[in-house]
């Protein structure tokens, strides 16, 4: 799908969301999950110095994510989604604001403490970012080595994680021998190795075909349901947030401009309101050409 | 050819031994100090993880100065340093000092280059897992860059072999010195050809080994 079309669709989605939110704001808020806030971004901002001046990539954003949620952030390319996500584990240090994960204020930590906390936050990427010169099982073992797990336990845990993502038989292969979907599964197994409370996903399906995308989304949902891992997912794909998320925030020009929660059993309000029309445009048929 | 080869066999073997000492020490220095220096060059570079303009400028200047010296001048200029480290400025061990210094500077550049080829995303992933600096370097960077690092060391080693041929000026010996003293100065063209063949075989061997190893290590 061409970029301008995507942008247009998102714009349209936003407009509709605005309408819905205006009508149902009360009920939406009451529809949120009951868990405690496992992640809180409080007034975080990030700017980059460019030749042309200072660029405000993320502008005074606050979000709270309840434990057990699948929190989606959607927006056009360049909206600041990745920067926002990367501030959660401080890969990008906010210029101002605080980041709290599971009661720990990451923005006030020493480097050493921060490293320990990062071991409890899994992360997956659009480009998988595997270590291509080592086997699948070694890829999953690396975070365990970093965490100092003894060898025997490491072997068992690697096995468990690979079993979970269905790659038991690929353990001794190299990532280059796998398909995109399988590589993302390795990345997921690697992210799960240290039993994270939180899983950060940056466009995890954006380089995969629709079938594989659905596949990976199922794995993510499975992780959320089986282990209660809270998932934060950033994407420009409407389908992804619609099928997966319990909460959606919409990002534009560095700001969260809208937020929605999924009602019990029902769809998130934006989809319900405009019915089949949006499904047609934003659904599988449209996304398949990306 | 065979007569002269047999006649000077003992000297030839000694020369080969000296070349091995000089090149071996250079390779050791390249690995022990050139690798970490190259890693620092990489990290301090603009846009990299520990970007640091001052340290980058300092290290780059040192590396550039060493590398821009005509090698023979460097050997002469380093005589006091050599005397301080080895105790004498003459002989094979003395010759290794300037060779090692060039080796460190030379290889560090190739290390920097290889590390720059590691995708930024790999570093991101490492940091997201809570890797320490050493963890990042040894479990990610060197692993992903290893075929480039080996290829760089291969190229370096061949340069060290070439550099080592002029170490006769400080009594370093080696195959190059042998070729000049027995072949050139005594007009024994056969001996010179013999020495050159030895050099060619040596270089081919290094290139073949390095190239093969680099290929085997590359699983990407
Ligand atoms: N390290 C950086 N230096 C300069 N500009 C950056 C940097 N990272 C991101 N940006 C800019 O910030 C904006 C938001 O980027 P990003 O968060 O990657 O957007 P998204 O993930 O929504 O596509 C983009 O315009 C991008 O060019
Ligand atoms: Mg992005």
């Amino acid at each position: 799908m061409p970029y301008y079309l995507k942008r247009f669709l998102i714009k349209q989605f936003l407009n509709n969301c605005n309408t819905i939110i205006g009508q149902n704001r009360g009920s939406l808020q009451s529809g949120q999950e009951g868990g405690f806030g496992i992640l809180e971004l409080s007034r975080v901002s990030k700017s980059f110095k460019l030749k042309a001046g200072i660029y405000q990539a993320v502008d005074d954003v606050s979000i709270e994510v309840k434990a057990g949620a699948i929190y989606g952030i959607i927006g056009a390319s360049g909206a600041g989604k990745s920067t926002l996500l990367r501030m959660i584990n401080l890969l990008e240090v906010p210029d101002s604001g605080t980041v709290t994960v599971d009661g720990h204020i990451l923005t006030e930590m020493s480097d050493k403490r921060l490293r320990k906390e990062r071991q409890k936050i899994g992360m997956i990427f659009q480009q998988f970012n595997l270590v291509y010169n080592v086997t699948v099982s070694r890829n999953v073992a690396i975070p365990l080595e970093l965490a100092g797990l003894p060898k025997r336990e490491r072997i068992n845990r690697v096995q468990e994680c690979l079993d979970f993502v269905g790659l038991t038989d690929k353990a001794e292969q190299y990532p280059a021998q796998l398909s995109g979907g399988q590589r993302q599964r390795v990345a997921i197994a690697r992210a799960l190795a240290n039993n994270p409370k939180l899983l950060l996903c940056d466009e995890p399906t954006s380089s995969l075909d629709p079938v594989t995308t659905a596949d990976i989304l199922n794995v993510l949902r499975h992780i959320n349901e089986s282990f209660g891992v809270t998932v934060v997912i950033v994407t420009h794909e409407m389908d992804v947030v619609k099928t997966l998320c319990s909460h959606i925030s919409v990002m534009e020009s560095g700001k969260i401009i809208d937020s929605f929660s999924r009602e019990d059993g029902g769809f998130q309000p934006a989809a319900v309101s405009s019915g089949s029309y949006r499904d047609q445009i934003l659904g599988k048929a449209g996304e398949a050409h990306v | 050819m065979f007569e002269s080869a047999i006649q000077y066999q003992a000297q030839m073997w000694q020369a080969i031994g000296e070349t091995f000492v000089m090149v071996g020490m250079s390779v050791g220095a390249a690995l022990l100090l050139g690798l970490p220096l190259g890693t620092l060059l990489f990290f301090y570079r603009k846009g990299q993880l520990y970007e640091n303009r001052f340290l980058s400028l300092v290290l780059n200047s040192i590396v550039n100065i060493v590398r821009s010296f005509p090698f023979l001048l460097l050997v002469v200029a380093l005589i006091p340093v050599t005397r301080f480290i080895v105790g004498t400025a003459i002989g094979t061990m003395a010759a290794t000092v300037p060779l090692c210094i060039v080796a460190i500077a030379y290889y560090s550049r190739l290390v920097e280059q290889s590390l720059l080829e590691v995708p930024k995303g790999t570093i991101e992933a490492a940091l997201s897992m809570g890797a320490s600096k050493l963890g990042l370097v040894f479990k990610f960077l060197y692993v992903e860059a290893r075929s480039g690092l080996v290829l760089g060391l291969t190229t370096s080693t061949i340069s060290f072999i070439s550099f080592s041929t002029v170490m006769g000026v400080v009594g370093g010996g080696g195959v190059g010195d042998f070729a000049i003293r027995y072949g050139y100065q005594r007009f024994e063209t056969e001996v010179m050809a013999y020495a050159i063949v030895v050099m060619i075989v040596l270089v081919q061997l290094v290139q073949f080994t390095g190239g093969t190893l680099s290929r085997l290590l590359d699983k990407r």
Side-chain angles (χ1 to χ4, degrees):
Chain A
M1 189 190 293
Y3 169 71
Y4 63 86
L5 187 54
K6 236 185 246 172
R7 224 190 141 88
F8 168 71
L9 294 175
I10 287 174
K11 272 265 159 61
Q12 202 168 49
F13 170 74
L14 299 186
N15 288 341
N16 286 321
C17 292
N18 283 334
T19 328
I20 300 310
I21 263 300
Q23 289 162 3
N24 298 350
R25 195 169 285 277
S27 72
L28 284 173
Q29 278 165 351
S30 64
Q32 285 187 351
E33 337 249 318
F36 61 98
I38 193 166
L39 164 66
E40 198 186 331
L41 298 183
S42 176
R43 309 204 58 177
V44 292
S45 293
K46 180 76 189 181
S47 58
F48 294 108
K49 278 196 202 86
L50 302 179
K51 284 201 188 77
I54 288 180
Y55 184 83
Q56 195 72 36
V58 173
D59 189 4
D60 194 20
V61 168
S62 299
I63 60 176
E64 192 186 346
V65 179
K66 305 280 189 211
I70 302 184
Y71 192 103
I73 299 168
I74 191 166
S77 165
K81 309 180 298 292
S82 296
T83 308
L84 183 66
L85 190 77
R86 290 151 45 80
M87 284 199 280
I88 295 175
N89 59 1
L90 257 67
L91 283 182
E92 210 76 76
V93 181
D95 299 334
S96 60
T98 55
V99 177
T100 313
V101 175
D102 205 19
H104 305 290
I105 304 175
L106 302 195
T107 33
E108 290 173 3
M109 272 179 190
S110 66
D111 277 3
K112 202 173 165 196
R113 280 277 324 270
L114 178 62
R115 265 186 262 128
K116 277 271 168 266
E117 286 305 313
R118 278 177 176 165
Q119 289 170 1
K120 295 272 162 213
I121 305 173
M123 192 170 196
I124 60 172
F125 309 84
Q126 177 174 0
Q127 296 306 330
F128 322 127
N129 297 346
L130 299 173
V131 180
Y132 283 84
N133 273 335
V134 301
T135 59
V136 165
S137 62
R138 183 77 210 295
N139 264 282
V140 182
I142 290 174
L144 300 170
E145 290 169 19
L146 294 173
L149 204 73
K151 183 157 185 194
R152 189 182 301 266
E153 291 168 50
R154 228 157 52 206
I155 292 170
N156 291 335
R157 183 65 189 150
V158 168
Q159 184 72 42
E160 273 172 25
C161 292
L162 288 180
D163 287 349
F164 180 81
V165 297
L167 288 179
T168 316
D169 54 330
K170 305 285 183 200
E172 294 319 309
Q173 299 204 4
Y174 288 89
Q177 300 166 283
L178 305 182
S179 70
Q182 289 170 330
R183 288 180 198 180
Q184 195 59 293
R185 282 164 183 268
V186 176
I188 291 173
R190 180 175 74 170
L192 286 183
N194 279 319
N195 288 306
K197 313 167 269 204
L198 188 59
L199 180 62
L200 309 178
C201 314
D202 192 351
E203 306 268 8
T205 59
S206 297
S207 48
L208 303 176
D209 62 70
V211 176
T212 317
T213 293
D215 221 38
I216 292 297
L217 294 185
N218 274 329
V219 176
L220 293 178
R221 183 184 295 117
H222 194 176
I223 289 166
N224 174 258
E225 285 168 0
S226 318
F227 310 127
V229 174
T230 309
V231 177
V232 179
I233 183 168
V234 149
T235 182
H236 65 270
E237 296 172 306
M238 188 59 65
D239 257 17
V240 169
V241 287
K242 270 168 58 180
T243 54
L244 190 65
C245 295
S246 61
H247 191 105
I248 303 176
S249 281
V250 183
M251 198 164 182
E252 197 184 86
S253 311
K255 286 183 179 295
I256 300 277
I257 56 165
D258 250 327
S259 284
F260 311 89
S261 292
R262 192 193 288 268
E263 305 271 353
D264 274 333
F267 227 126
Q268 39 102 352
V272 173
S273 74
S274 49
S276 59
Y277 176 67
R278 182 169 306 116
D279 272 344
Q280 245 177 337
I281 301 177
L282 298 175
K284 276 248 146 55
E287 286 297 316
H289 299 290
V290 167
Chain B
M1 175 131 194
F2 284 115
E3 290 101 74
S4 54
I6 291 163
Q7 189 190 344
Y8 291 112
Q9 209 178 21
Q11 287 93 329
M12 188 67 210
W13 278 112
Q14 194 194 340
I16 291 176
E18 287 160 355
T19 294
F20 267 83
V21 169
M22 289 188 286
V23 174
M25 296 286 275
S26 311
V27 170
L31 279 176
L32 235 56
L33 296 171
L35 183 60
L37 176 59
T39 310
L40 291 180
L41 283 172
F42 166 74
F43 274 135
Y44 292 150
R45 230 179 122 97
K46 190 172 161 61
Q48 298 300 328
L49 193 57
Y50 302 112
E51 177 176 339
N52 185 318
R53 272 173 91 168
F54 175 73
L55 288 174
S56 186
L57 186 71
V58 170
L59 294 184
N60 271 298
S61 305
I62 294 173
V63 168
N64 286 343
I65 287 169
V66 170
R67 292 199 53 195
S68 56
F69 252 88
F71 183 61
L72 271 178
L73 279 186
L74 185 75
V75 173
V76 176
L78 281 175
I79 284 178
V81 180
T82 303
R83 196 170 277 135
F84 177 77
I85 296 177
V86 187
T88 165
I90 299 293
T92 304
M93 282 319 280
T96 62
V97 172
L99 272 174
C100 286
I101 286 172
V102 167
I104 293 164
Y106 193 95
Y107 189 49
S108 69
R109 271 286 174 243
L110 300 182
V111 168
E112 180 192 24
Q113 248 170 54
S114 301
L115 295 181
L116 281 169
E117 274 164 33
V118 176
K120 278 244 163 87
T122 309
I123 298 172
E124 292 252 286
L127 296 176
S128 81
M129 280 174 228
S132 60
K133 291 184 179 84
L134 285 182
L136 168 65
V137 168
F138 286 103
K139 290 186 195 297
F140 294 84
L141 284 177
Y142 288 173
V143 174
E144 286 303 73
R146 66 192 186 188
S147 65
L149 293 174
V150 167
L151 222 48
L153 192 64
T154 308
T155 309
S156 304
T157 305
I158 289 167
S159 297
F160 304 161
I161 293 175
S162 164
F163 285 139
S164 76
T165 56
V166 299
M167 293 319 291
V169 290
V170 288
V175 181
D177 184 44
F178 171 82
I180 288 175
R181 281 196 294 143
Y182 291 84
Y184 181 68
Q185 286 167 358
R186 296 188 189 184
F187 305 104
E188 298 253 25
T189 316
E190 283 172 16
V191 174
M192 196 152 84
Y194 179 38
I196 289 169
V197 168
V198 168
M199 296 292 285
I200 291 173
V201 169
L202 212 58
V203 169
Q204 295 282 356
L205 225 64
V206 169
Q207 186 64 53
F208 176 78
T209 312
T212 307
L213 189 61
S214 157
R215 205 155 6 87
L216 288 177
L217 286 173
D218 193 359
K219 308 289 185 188
R220 294 169 297 171

